[in-house]
Amino acid sequence: MKAVLLLKSFMFISAVFSLPSMAAGETNCFYISLKPEIIAKTDALIKEYGKKKNISFMTHDAKSNSLNQVFQIDSDFKFADSTIVITNDTTSAQNAITLSKKQKTPLVFSLIKPLVSFLSYPKAWFVGPNESQAGFMQADMLHEYIQKKGSIDKNHNKILDIVVIRGEKSNPDEITRTTSLMSGLITHGHILPTLSDTYGNWDYDEAYNIMTIQIKKQGIDNIEAVVANSDEMALGALKALQENGYNKGDSDTFIPVFGIGGNNDAIKAIDEGKISGTVIPDLDTLAKITIELITEKNLTEQKIRETYNLKVENRNVLVEYSEKKNF
């Protein structure tokens, strides 16, 4: 009897202490910041899918400090079996590639494409939104809005007088989003240049200041639309418009505003009829593919294309955007 009890006790203790071995492994998540809503949403989805595969995560928030992120990667990289990085810092990205090569572990750059090449390391990938699609979709929505309203040419100059608010100067996402926006508007037959084309650095307050200046400079009656590279900047522009009596529910005092990102406050403003539209990246698919890339050794570009019907080239996986509009 004692032997049976001892055996059962041994089996129980063995089961308890063997639980960690069930995990698929440890994954380092190095984020330049968790403050942006889109990064926080991406992180939550990555953790949701990762836990289904028994992955344990070690999360590092650099709090928008590049030196912090470099230090975190250098210090903690060795403690994990795979790595997910969201960064706009070239040194952090290069360090992640170098250390992944050394340890021969999977590496996924998520959401923000690194400004350094990772193609020399076959286990490194990028999974992020198709930024070219985002700009074209903004152009499509603005064109659709104009067709629905008949015309928004308030000053009858036959030019589409819009305020464009870009992200950070020379940022690849800013360049791609704006270039595709302009190309899309020209394809639809709209005459440019724009009233204003300014850098808002992805920031709510800077966009508010830009819009306030343009309202004073151009006259609010001469502004026919606002298109921003992000929802945060679209919301900043909205604040300036509302302070001047616009976009509060009266169709006679309304200027269409379009953003990118799917920010919760922007979605609310669209539902309330204060912002006309945004485009939202498929973060769910982004997170799912990110987890597959760090767990499935034989995952190929062709398999991702066939499974998800996405654009995949040179280990760059681009997820789709969808529209959210109200007009």
Side-chain angles (χ1 to χ4, degrees):
M1 183 68 179
K2 286 182 179 181
V4 173
L5 289 173
L6 284 171
L7 179 60
K8 288 183 176 180
S9 297
F10 176 76
M11 291 172 65
F12 174 76
I13 292 169
S14 298
V16 170
F17 282 98
S18 66
L19 282 176
S21 67
M22 294 170 63
E26 297 280 350
T27 295
N28 266 320
C29 296
F30 295 106
Y31 301 137
I32 189 63
S33 174
L34 269 168
K35 186 176 180 181
E37 187 178 299
I38 192 168
I39 296 181
K41 285 180 176 179
T42 301
D43 176 61
L45 287 165
I46 285 172
K47 303 287 176 59
E48 179 184 330
Y49 284 110
K51 286 177 181 177
K52 292 178 181 178
K53 295 199 173 187
N54 296 316
I55 298 174
S56 298
F57 294 94
M58 295 177 287
T59 304
H60 306 76
D61 180 0
K63 300 186 183 300
S64 300
N65 187 314
S66 297
L67 292 177
N68 280 349
Q69 190 169 49
V70 170
F71 175 78
Q72 290 168 350
I73 290 174
D74 286 345
S75 300
D76 297 337
F77 202 94
K78 59 182 174 290
F79 297 114
D81 305 301
S82 58
T83 304
I84 298 168
V85 178
I86 299 179
T87 189
N88 55 7
D89 179 63
T90 54
T91 303
S92 297
Q94 187 58 62
N95 284 6
I97 295 167
T98 301
L99 291 168
S100 293
K101 281 183 178 180
K102 185 177 179 180
Q103 294 188 192
K104 299 180 180 179
T105 52
L107 169 64
V108 179
F109 291 101
S110 184
L111 203 61
I112 302 173
K113 188 172 182 179
L115 296 178
V116 294
S117 176
F118 55 84
L119 295 179
S120 62
Y121 181 52
K123 293 184 178 181
W125 293 73
F126 167 68
V127 185
N130 186 340
E131 302 298 3
S132 178
Q133 183 189 41
F136 280 116
M137 290 178 75
Q138 282 185 311
D140 290 344
M141 284 193 296
L142 178 52
H143 179 67
E144 183 183 349
Y145 178 91
I146 294 168
Q147 286 189 314
K148 186 171 182 178
K149 299 299 178 182
S151 174
I152 61 171
D153 188 9
K154 296 188 289 186
N155 55 16
H156 307 292
N157 64 357
K158 298 182 181 180
I159 294 174
L160 182 57
D161 292 313
I162 65 173
V163 171
V164 174
I165 307 177
R166 298 178 181 237
E168 181 184 7
K169 189 174 183 179
S170 300
N171 179 283
D173 290 348
E174 167 269 312
I175 294 169
T176 304
R177 291 178 183 187
T178 308
T179 301
S180 56
L181 165 68
M182 300 300 189
S183 297
L185 290 173
I186 291 170
T187 300
H188 283 303
H190 297 291
I191 300 174
L192 304 172
T194 60
L195 271 182
S196 169
D197 189 349
T198 315
Y199 296 96
N201 296 308
W202 313 111
D203 186 72
Y204 176 96
D205 292 326
E206 288 197 39
Y208 165 76
N209 291 333
I210 288 169
M211 198 67 218
T212 299
I213 291 169
Q214 292 306 316
I215 289 170
K216 291 178 180 177
K217 181 180 178 181
Q218 310 291 348
I220 198 163
D221 290 335
N222 290 314
I223 298 172
E224 294 167 351
V226 179
V227 186
N229 276 174
S230 74
D231 283 344
E232 287 80 3
M233 295 190 296
L235 288 163
L238 173 65
K239 180 184 176 184
L241 290 172
Q242 291 185 320
E243 287 182 355
N244 285 270
Y246 273 65
N247 293 44
K248 290 186 171 183
D250 186 345
S251 60
D252 292 330
T253 52
F254 186 85
I255 293 173
V257 178
F258 297 91
I260 296 174
N263 179 294
N264 289 340
D265 288 338
I267 297 297
K268 181 180 178 183
I270 292 168
D271 289 337
E272 293 173 349
K274 297 171 183 175
I275 287 179
S276 297
T278 189
V279 292
I280 305 170
D282 183 1
L283 298 181
D284 189 82
T285 297
L286 183 152
K288 190 180 296 184
I289 294 173
T290 296
I291 292 300
E292 288 184 10
L293 285 169
I294 64 173
T295 56
E296 305 295 334
K297 293 181 179 180
N298 298 319
L299 193 59
T300 63
E301 290 186 354
Q302 184 62 28
K303 186 174 180 180
I304 295 172
R305 285 192 205 99
E306 292 173 353
T307 303
Y308 295 98
N309 193 29
L310 295 176
K311 182 178 180 181
V312 185
E313 187 176 3
N314 293 324
R315 299 199 305 279
N316 287 270
V317 183
L318 302 182
V319 301
E320 302 287 317
Y321 275 92
S322 61
E323 293 181 350
K324 169 71 177 180
K325 58 191 177 185
N326 182 14
F327 51 81

